[in-house]
Amino acid sequence: MSAKHIYICSPSSAVRDKAAVRRGIKRLQALGHDVEVDPDAFTSHMRFAGDDATRLAAIHRAASSGADIVVTTRGGYGLTRLLPAIRYPLLKKAVDKGTQFVGLSDFTALNCALFAQAKATSWQGPAVGEDLGAEEPDEIMLDCFEDLVEGRGEGSGWRLPAAEAQSRFREARGVLWGGNLAIIASLVGTPWLPKVRGGILFLEDVGEHPYRIERMLTQLLHAGVLAQQKAILLGQFTNWRPVPHHDKGFKMATVVAWLRSQVKIPVLTDLPFGHVPTKVLLPFGVPVHLAVDGRDAYVVWGHRH
């Protein structure tokens, strides 16, 4: 692995597990990378990694750093507060020069706004703390991150549930975009949600009961977002608790079945992405080729350099 300049910042929630972030930093350094940590990466203000001005300045420092990759310490909450004040031309300039912005969860807000405001691409991928700084990081996640670092990532594949096996080869082409469902739903009706027509939308979430997932999907449906897509890829929806005496069989499979009844496009599940150890990296705003052969699904985007 060739050495890269990696910039680490905290644009959302305050870092609580500092040991995990430091492990992630040491792991990147052990791989030979030049790791630059933003001076306010460990700052704390209420639940945030510094007040709004502090976190905004961190984003702009990251964009001006000349780094090959900018990655966040964690997600949480806070980026939607900053969207009107972000200097998108500055970030666009950084992207054009080769900087790859990487994050997930709350970072979805920046992915969306950057594409909506500047047509600049970015990545959904690991955070330094919970992923790169895990005691035993997932090997698939590390391999995908290494592919990004080396500029050789060309796509991702996964195995569909048996019930979703296709009897014949199916394919679609479109711009890949998506991320955290709650964030995307919160951006409906704002200038920060990109208008992606003929796109391939991927979604994940954490700590949300299936009825809340359905409610957010309903918002995207009624806002016309889903009708403009060629396919919907559902990742992992984790860390929610059923209500045994009230759900009475209502579960995530119920939501998926309902969604399929509402749209005329493929809805594929089990994408290895979300708040889980095993996650692939996915480009946001990049044209891709989606193919399904039996139970095998592939999203291919080719070299970006």
Side-chain angles (χ1 to χ4, degrees), residues 221-302:
L221 176 70
H222 296 332
V225 175
L226 300 186
Q228 296 176 4
Q229 310 309 310
K230 289 186 176 179
I232 299 171
L233 313 180
L234 298 179
Q236 306 304 302
F237 294 83
T238 53
N239 294 0
W240 60 273
R241 294 181 180 180
V243 186
H245 301 296
H246 189 59
D247 289 337
K248 295 185 177 180
F250 187 94
K251 53 189 177 181
M252 195 61 205
T254 311
V255 177
V256 175
W258 167 84
L259 179 60
R260 288 181 174 138
S261 75
Q262 301 298 307
V263 297
K264 299 179 180 179
I265 58 176
V267 176
L268 306 179
T269 68
D270 270 8
L271 176 70
F273 187 80
H275 290 68
V276 289
T278 303
K279 61 168 64 72
V280 296
L281 273 77
L282 298 169
F284 187 110
V286 172
V288 300
H289 179 199
L290 169 67
V292 180
D293 187 7
R295 290 181 61 186
D296 296 321
Y298 308 90
V299 176
V300 181
W301 54 83

Side-chain angles (χ1 to χ4, degrees), residues 10 29 40 61 68 72 89 91 100-101 111 116 119 143 147 159 169 173 177 192 229 261 264-265 283 292 297 299 302:
S10 301
Q29 291 172 330
D40 289 318
R61 279 194 297 270
D68 297 295
T72 65
L91 273 65
Q100 313 274 29
F101 288 88
N111 291 122
K119 286 294 182 286
D143 287 345
D147 284 345
R159 189 85 164 156
F169 181 79
R173 296 179 187 272
W177 71 294
W192 323 120
Q229 310 309 310
S261 75
K264 299 179 180 179
I265 58 176
V292 180
V299 176

Side-chain angles (χ1 to χ4, degrees), residues 4-44:
K4 299 292 184 180
H5 178 189
I6 299 178
Y7 194 96
I8 296 172
C9 62
S10 301
S12 299
S13 285
V15 173
R16 302 305 182 198
D17 191 349
K18 296 181 180 179
V21 172
R22 292 191 175 105
R23 277 196 304 270
I25 292 170
K26 289 181 179 179
R27 184 163 283 117
L28 291 172
Q29 291 172 330
L31 292 171
H33 299 305
D34 174 18
V35 179
E36 182 177 0
V37 181
D38 186 84
D40 289 318
F42 293 101
T43 297
S44 180

